Amino acid sequence: QVQLVESGGGLVQAGGSLRLSCAASGLTWRTLAMGWFRQAPGKEREFVGSITWVGGTTYYEDSVKGRFTISRDYAKKTLYLQMSSLQPEDTAVYYCATSPYGTPSALSSYDSWGQGTQVTVSS
C-alpha cells in the first residue's frame, strides 16, 4: 500500500515562501507521476502541478507558473512543492498524490492521497 505524508504547511505573510514536503512509502512501478492539489475553504479541490517520477518532467497550472516549483528526491522518495510570492488566494489545504499516468491533472487520475497540510497566507 502507498502512504503519503505531507508536511511544511503553516502561516506566512503575503509575499513570503514555504516549502512543502510529501514523504512517500510503498511506491511501485505503477506510479509514473506525483502531483500536488489544493483545496481552499468552500472550493473544490484543484490541480496545482505534477512531476514524472523518473524523468522529472513538470506540469503546472497557469495560476502558479513562475511562483511554484515541484521537485522530487528519487532516492528519498520525497516530493516537494516550493512556493514563493504567496498571496492570500493561495490559502488552502495542500495534498500530494500518486498517479499511474505520466501527465495527470484530473482528480480521477490519481490513486493515493496524503492527509493534507494547511497553508494560510495573511495579507
Side-chain angles (χ1 to χ4, degrees), residues 3-7 21-25 36 78-79 96 113-116:
Q3 185 176 28
L4 305 173
V5 181
E6 301 96 332
S7 62
S21 298
C22 173
S25 63
W36 287 98
T78 301
L79 180 72
C96 65
W113 296 82
Q115 85 290 347

Side-chain angles (χ1 to χ4, degrees), residues 42-107:
K43 304 294 184 180
E44 298 295 321
R45 191 169 300 186
E46 66 175 356
F47 176 74
V48 174
S50 66
I51 186 168
T52 57
W53 193 238
V54 175
T57 301
T58 54
Y59 174 49
Y60 301 96
E61 277 294 318
D62 289 341
S63 62
V64 304
K65 286 182 179 178
R67 298 192 299 123
F68 291 10
T69 301
I70 296 173
S71 62
R72 86 275 187 264
D73 187 320
Y74 187 86
K76 294 182 178 180
K77 304 301 181 187
T78 301
L79 180 72
Y80 302 99
L81 179 63
Q82 178 66 51
M83 304 182 292
S84 62
S85 301
L86 285 164
Q87 300 299 316
E89 50 265 39
D90 295 315
T91 295
V93 177
Y94 284 72
Y95 301 87
C96 65
T98 61
S99 176
Y101 302 100
T103 314
S105 60
L107 272 69

